[in-house]
PDB file of all heavy atoms in Angstrom:
ATOM      1  N   GLU A   1       7.032  -6.979   7.338  1.00 38.00           N
ATOM      2  CA  GLU A   1       6.235  -8.059   6.769  1.00 38.00           C
ATOM      3  C   GLU A   1       4.761  -7.877   6.967  1.00 38.00           C
ATOM      4  O   GLU A   1       3.992  -8.129   6.110  1.00 38.00           O
ATOM      5  CB  GLU A   1       6.732  -9.386   7.375  1.00 38.00           C
ATOM      6  CG  GLU A   1       8.183  -9.774   7.005  1.00 38.00           C
ATOM      7  CD  GLU A   1       9.223  -9.093   7.854  1.00 38.00           C
ATOM      8  OE1 GLU A   1       8.790  -8.282   8.727  1.00 38.00           O
ATOM      9  OE2 GLU A   1      10.389  -9.294   7.621  1.00 38.00           O
ATOM     10  N   ARG A   2       4.423  -7.397   8.200  1.00 42.00           N
ATOM     11  CA  ARG A   2       2.989  -7.227   8.531  1.00 42.00           C
ATOM     12  C   ARG A   2       2.394  -6.104   7.667  1.00 42.00           C
ATOM     13  O   ARG A   2       1.240  -6.230   7.152  1.00 42.00           O
ATOM     14  CB  ARG A   2       2.830  -6.958   9.938  1.00 42.00           C
ATOM     15  CG  ARG A   2       1.373  -6.817  10.375  1.00 42.00           C
ATOM     16  CD  ARG A   2       1.233  -6.602  11.895  1.00 42.00           C
ATOM     17  NE  ARG A   2      -0.139  -6.423  12.311  1.00 42.00           N
ATOM     18  CZ  ARG A   2      -0.473  -6.133  13.579  1.00 42.00           C
ATOM     19  NH1 ARG A   2       0.432  -6.081  14.527  1.00 42.00           N
ATOM     20  NH2 ARG A   2      -1.754  -5.970  13.896  1.00 42.00           N
ATOM     21  N   ARG A   3       3.162  -5.016   7.519  1.00 42.00           N
ATOM     22  CA  ARG A   3       2.680  -3.901   6.673  1.00 42.00           C
ATOM     23  C   ARG A   3       2.484  -4.372   5.251  1.00 42.00           C
ATOM     24  O   ARG A   3       1.504  -3.985   4.551  1.00 42.00           O
ATOM     25  CB  ARG A   3       3.639  -2.726   6.716  1.00 42.00           C
ATOM     26  CG  ARG A   3       3.624  -2.010   8.086  1.00 42.00           C
ATOM     27  CD  ARG A   3       4.290  -0.613   7.902  1.00 42.00           C
ATOM     28  NE  ARG A   3       5.652  -0.765   7.444  1.00 42.00           N
ATOM     29  CZ  ARG A   3       6.704  -0.813   8.250  1.00 42.00           C
ATOM     30  NH1 ARG A   3       6.520  -0.795   9.557  1.00 42.00           N
ATOM     31  NH2 ARG A   3       7.942  -0.949   7.759  1.00 42.00           N
ATOM     32  N   GLY A   4       3.414  -5.208   4.762  1.00 44.00           N
ATOM     33  CA  GLY A   4       3.319  -5.675   3.404  1.00 44.00           C
ATOM     34  C   GLY A   4       2.081  -6.592   3.220  1.00 44.00           C
ATOM     35  O   GLY A   4       1.373  -6.542   2.222  1.00 44.00           O
ATOM     36  N   ALA A   5       1.878  -7.405   4.245  1.00 38.00           N
ATOM     37  CA  ALA A   5       0.720  -8.324   4.171  1.00 38.00           C
ATOM     38  C   ALA A   5      -0.573  -7.593   4.198  1.00 38.00           C
ATOM     39  O   ALA A   5      -1.517  -7.833   3.481  1.00 38.00           O
ATOM     40  CB  ALA A   5       0.756  -9.324   5.302  1.00 38.00           C
ATOM     41  N   GLU A   6      -0.686  -6.534   5.042  1.00 43.00           N
ATOM     42  CA  GLU A   6      -1.862  -5.717   5.130  1.00 43.00           C
ATOM     43  C   GLU A   6      -2.147  -4.976   3.803  1.00 43.00           C
ATOM     44  O   GLU A   6      -3.240  -4.758   3.360  1.00 43.00           O
ATOM     45  CB  GLU A   6      -1.813  -4.766   6.317  1.00 43.00           C
ATOM     46  CG  GLU A   6      -1.874  -5.451   7.650  1.00 43.00           C
ATOM     47  CD  GLU A   6      -1.866  -4.475   8.807  1.00 43.00           C
ATOM     48  OE1 GLU A   6      -1.704  -3.265   8.525  1.00 43.00           O
ATOM     49  OE2 GLU A   6      -2.043  -4.922   9.952  1.00 43.00           O
ATOM     50  N   SER A   7      -0.976  -4.430   3.253  1.00 45.00           N
ATOM     51  CA  SER A   7      -1.114  -3.728   1.964  1.00 45.00           C
ATOM     52  C   SER A   7      -1.667  -4.653   0.906  1.00 45.00           C
ATOM     53  O   SER A   7      -2.506  -4.286   0.074  1.00 45.00           O
ATOM     54  CB  SER A   7       0.207  -3.161   1.550  1.00 45.00           C
ATOM     55  OG  SER A   7       0.114  -2.536   0.279  1.00 45.00           O
ATOM     56  N   ALA A   8      -1.113  -5.894   0.824  1.00 42.00           N
ATOM     57  CA  ALA A   8      -1.605  -6.840  -0.181  1.00 42.00           C
ATOM     58  C   ALA A   8      -3.044  -7.198   0.021  1.00 42.00           C
ATOM     59  O   ALA A   8      -3.801  -7.346  -0.899  1.00 42.00           O
ATOM     60  CB  ALA A   8      -0.700  -8.062  -0.135  1.00 42.00           C
ATOM     61  N   ALA A   9      -3.417  -7.349   1.349  1.00 43.00           N
ATOM     62  CA  ALA A   9      -4.806  -7.706   1.643  1.00 43.00           C
ATOM     63  C   ALA A   9      -5.767  -6.564   1.257  1.00 43.00           C
ATOM     64  O   ALA A   9      -6.841  -6.791   0.756  1.00 43.00           O
ATOM     65  CB  ALA A   9      -4.933  -8.045   3.115  1.00 43.00           C
ATOM     66  N   GLY A  10      -5.266  -5.319   1.528  1.00 47.00           N
ATOM     67  CA  GLY A  10      -6.123  -4.181   1.156  1.00 47.00           C
ATOM     68  C   GLY A  10      -6.304  -4.064  -0.327  1.00 47.00           C
ATOM     69  O   GLY A  10      -7.364  -3.702  -0.843  1.00 47.00           O
ATOM     70  N   ALA A  11      -5.203  -4.330  -1.063  1.00 46.00           N
ATOM     71  CA  ALA A  11      -5.293  -4.269  -2.526  1.00 46.00           C
ATOM     72  C   ALA A  11      -6.243  -5.374  -3.081  1.00 46.00           C
ATOM     73  O   ALA A  11      -6.931  -5.170  -4.070  1.00 46.00           O
ATOM     74  CB  ALA A  11      -3.903  -4.407  -3.128  1.00 46.00           C
ATOM     75  N   ALA A  12      -6.271  -6.522  -2.378  1.00 46.00           N
ATOM     76  CA  ALA A  12      -7.069  -7.621  -2.818  1.00 46.00           C
ATOM     77  C   ALA A  12      -8.573  -7.340  -2.626  1.00 46.00           C
ATOM     78  O   ALA A  12      -9.377  -7.699  -3.466  1.00 46.00           O
ATOM     79  CB  ALA A  12      -6.702  -8.917  -2.126  1.00 46.00           C
ATOM     80  N   ASP A  13      -8.928  -6.706  -1.519  1.00 50.00           N
ATOM     81  CA  ASP A  13     -10.348  -6.434  -1.290  1.00 50.00           C
ATOM     82  C   ASP A  13     -10.801  -5.116  -1.748  1.00 50.00           C
ATOM     83  O   ASP A  13     -11.963  -4.706  -1.445  1.00 50.00           O
ATOM     84  CB  ASP A  13     -10.642  -6.572   0.258  1.00 50.00           C
ATOM     85  CG  ASP A  13      -9.914  -5.547   1.114  1.00 50.00           C
ATOM     86  OD1 ASP A  13      -9.366  -4.563   0.501  1.00 50.00           O
ATOM     87  OD2 ASP A  13      -9.887  -5.668   2.322  1.00 50.00           O
ATOM     88  N   GLY A  14      -9.984  -4.387  -2.491  1.00 52.00           N
ATOM     89  CA  GLY A  14     -10.426  -3.121  -3.129  1.00 52.00           C
ATOM     90  C   GLY A  14     -10.337  -1.910  -2.234  1.00 52.00           C
ATOM     91  O   GLY A  14     -10.765  -0.811  -2.605  1.00 52.00           O
ATOM     92  N   THR A  15      -9.748  -2.013  -1.049  1.00 56.00           N
ATOM     93  CA  THR A  15      -9.560  -0.894  -0.127  1.00 56.00           C
ATOM     94  C   THR A  15      -8.547   0.036  -0.710  1.00 56.00           C
ATOM     95  O   THR A  15      -7.423  -0.397  -1.084  1.00 56.00           O
ATOM     96  CB  THR A  15      -9.130  -1.384   1.270  1.00 56.00           C
ATOM     97  OG1 THR A  15     -10.076  -2.332   1.766  1.00 56.00           O
ATOM     98  CG2 THR A  15      -9.059  -0.217   2.213  1.00 56.00           C
ATOM     99  N   PRO A  16      -8.843   1.347  -0.753  1.00 56.00           N
ATOM    100  CA  PRO A  16      -7.857   2.347  -1.299  1.00 56.00           C
ATOM    101  C   PRO A  16      -6.550   2.299  -0.482  1.00 56.00           C
ATOM    102  O   PRO A  16      -6.599   2.234   0.759  1.00 56.00           O
ATOM    103  CB  PRO A  16      -8.593   3.671  -1.120  1.00 56.00           C
ATOM    104  CG  PRO A  16     -10.031   3.325  -1.046  1.00 56.00           C
ATOM    105  CD  PRO A  16     -10.101   1.976  -0.383  1.00 56.00           C
ATOM    106  N   GLN A  17      -5.437   2.319  -1.158  1.00 62.00           N
ATOM    107  CA  GLN A  17      -4.144   2.296  -0.536  1.00 62.00           C
ATOM    108  C   GLN A  17      -3.459   3.644  -0.639  1.00 62.00           C
ATOM    109  O   GLN A  17      -3.684   4.340  -1.666  1.00 62.00           O
ATOM    110  CB  GLN A  17      -3.280   1.194  -1.143  1.00 62.00           C
ATOM    111  CG  GLN A  17      -3.848  -0.209  -1.039  1.00 62.00           C
ATOM    112  CD  GLN A  17      -3.996  -0.635   0.380  1.00 62.00           C
ATOM    113  OE1 GLN A  17      -3.059  -0.587   1.154  1.00 62.00           O
ATOM    114  NE2 GLN A  17      -5.200  -1.126   0.712  1.00 62.00           N
ATOM    115  N   ARG A  18      -2.646   3.948   0.313  1.00 67.00           N
ATOM    116  CA  ARG A  18      -1.904   5.237   0.293  1.00 67.00           C
ATOM    117  C   ARG A  18      -0.839   5.169  -0.809  1.00 67.00           C
ATOM    118  O   ARG A  18       0.004   4.242  -0.773  1.00 67.00           O
ATOM    119  CB  ARG A  18      -1.275   5.514   1.654  1.00 67.00           C
ATOM    120  CG  ARG A  18      -0.504   6.843   1.680  1.00 67.00           C
ATOM    121  CD  ARG A  18       0.085   7.068   3.073  1.00 67.00           C
ATOM    122  NE  ARG A  18       0.877   8.242   3.130  1.00 67.00           N
ATOM    123  CZ  ARG A  18       0.316   9.459   3.394  1.00 67.00           C
ATOM    124  NH1 ARG A  18      -0.975   9.571   3.574  1.00 67.00           N
ATOM    125  NH2 ARG A  18       1.105  10.548   3.403  1.00 67.00           N
ATOM    126  N   ALA A  19      -0.860   6.109  -1.707  1.00 65.00           N
ATOM    127  CA  ALA A  19       0.175   6.130  -2.750  1.00 65.00           C
ATOM    128  C   ALA A  19       1.484   6.660  -2.247  1.00 65.00           C
ATOM    129  O   ALA A  19       1.535   7.548  -1.393  1.00 65.00           O
ATOM    130  CB  ALA A  19      -0.332   7.015  -3.905  1.00 65.00           C
ATOM    131  N   GLY A  20       2.574   6.091  -2.757  1.00 72.00           N
ATOM    132  CA  GLY A  20       3.884   6.535  -2.414  1.00 72.00           C
ATOM    133  C   GLY A  20       4.560   7.254  -3.535  1.00 72.00           C
ATOM    134  O   GLY A  20       3.988   7.432  -4.625  1.00 72.00           O
ATOM    135  N   TYR A  21       5.799   7.732  -3.283  1.00 71.00           N
ATOM    136  CA  TYR A  21       6.489   8.465  -4.351  1.00 71.00           C
ATOM    137  C   TYR A  21       6.796   7.563  -5.608  1.00 71.00           C
ATOM    138  O   TYR A  21       6.936   8.087  -6.690  1.00 71.00           O
ATOM    139  CB  TYR A  21       7.808   9.056  -3.811  1.00 71.00           C
ATOM    140  CG  TYR A  21       7.560  10.322  -2.998  1.00 71.00           C
ATOM    141  CD1 TYR A  21       7.484  10.311  -1.644  1.00 71.00           C
ATOM    142  CD2 TYR A  21       7.457  11.521  -3.644  1.00 71.00           C
ATOM    143  CE1 TYR A  21       7.259  11.481  -0.883  1.00 71.00           C
ATOM    144  CE2 TYR A  21       7.214  12.716  -2.939  1.00 71.00           C
ATOM    145  CZ  TYR A  21       7.141  12.697  -1.606  1.00 71.00           C
ATOM    146  OH  TYR A  21       6.937  13.826  -0.898  1.00 71.00           O
ATOM    147  N   ARG A  22       6.895   6.270  -5.292  1.00 80.00           N
ATOM    148  CA  ARG A  22       7.068   5.369  -6.451  1.00 80.00           C
ATOM    149  C   ARG A  22       5.926   5.438  -7.411  1.00 80.00           C
ATOM    150  O   ARG A  22       6.088   5.458  -8.620  1.00 80.00           O
ATOM    151  CB  ARG A  22       7.262   3.930  -5.920  1.00 80.00           C
ATOM    152  CG  ARG A  22       7.384   2.849  -6.949  1.00 80.00           C
ATOM    153  CD  ARG A  22       7.737   1.569  -6.350  1.00 80.00           C
ATOM    154  NE  ARG A  22       6.738   1.129  -5.362  1.00 80.00           N
ATOM    155  CZ  ARG A  22       5.623   0.432  -5.635  1.00 80.00           C
ATOM    156  NH1 ARG A  22       5.359   0.133  -6.937  1.00 80.00           N
ATOM    157  NH2 ARG A  22       4.761   0.079  -4.731  1.00 80.00           N
ATOM    158  N   HIS A  23       4.701   5.476  -6.869  1.00 77.00           N
ATOM    159  CA  HIS A  23       3.528   5.612  -7.715  1.00 77.00           C
ATOM    160  C   HIS A  23       3.490   6.959  -8.399  1.00 77.00           C
ATOM    161  O   HIS A  23       3.058   7.033  -9.582  1.00 77.00           O
ATOM    162  CB  HIS A  23       2.219   5.455  -6.885  1.00 77.00           C
ATOM    163  CG  HIS A  23       2.171   4.116  -6.146  1.00 77.00           C
ATOM    164  ND1 HIS A  23       2.741   3.941  -4.904  1.00 77.00           N
ATOM    165  CD2 HIS A  23       1.668   2.944  -6.489  1.00 77.00           C
ATOM    166  CE1 HIS A  23       2.519   2.682  -4.495  1.00 77.00           C
ATOM    167  NE2 HIS A  23       1.856   2.050  -5.432  1.00 77.00           N
ATOM    168  N   LEU A  24       3.901   7.989  -7.718  1.00 78.00           N
ATOM    169  CA  LEU A  24       3.909   9.316  -8.340  1.00 78.00           C
ATOM    170  C   LEU A  24       4.929   9.409  -9.491  1.00 78.00           C
ATOM    171  O   LEU A  24       4.540   9.893 -10.556  1.00 78.00           O
ATOM    172  CB  LEU A  24       4.290  10.362  -7.284  1.00 78.00           C
ATOM    173  CG  LEU A  24       4.403  11.822  -7.790  1.00 78.00           C
ATOM    174  CD1 LEU A  24       3.111  12.359  -8.348  1.00 78.00           C
ATOM    175  CD2 LEU A  24       4.897  12.740  -6.655  1.00 78.00           C
ATOM    176  N   ILE A  25       6.075   8.830  -9.282  1.00 82.00           N
ATOM    177  CA  ILE A  25       7.096   8.843 -10.354  1.00 82.00           C
ATOM    178  C   ILE A  25       6.598   8.085 -11.547  1.00 82.00           C
ATOM    179  O   ILE A  25       6.741   8.545 -12.703  1.00 82.00           O
ATOM    180  CB  ILE A  25       8.397   8.273  -9.828  1.00 82.00           C
ATOM    181  CG1 ILE A  25       9.009   9.200  -8.771  1.00 82.00           C
ATOM    182  CG2 ILE A  25       9.435   8.056 -10.968  1.00 82.00           C
ATOM    183  CD1 ILE A  25      10.193   8.584  -8.036  1.00 82.00           C
TER     184      ILE A  25
END
């Protein structure tokens, strides 16, 4: 839950996020 919240917060403030295989596919 915390990782998901941080990821959402990072996406909201424009911080680059680490891409996963889902994004690659």
Side-chain angles (χ1 to χ4, degrees):
E1 292 82 1
R2 183 177 178 183
R3 288 197 302 268
E6 290 183 355
S7 177
D13 63 13
T15 304
Q17 300 298 310
R18 181 180 178 86
Y21 280 98
R22 175 173 59 88
H23 301 87
L24 176 62
I25 293 172

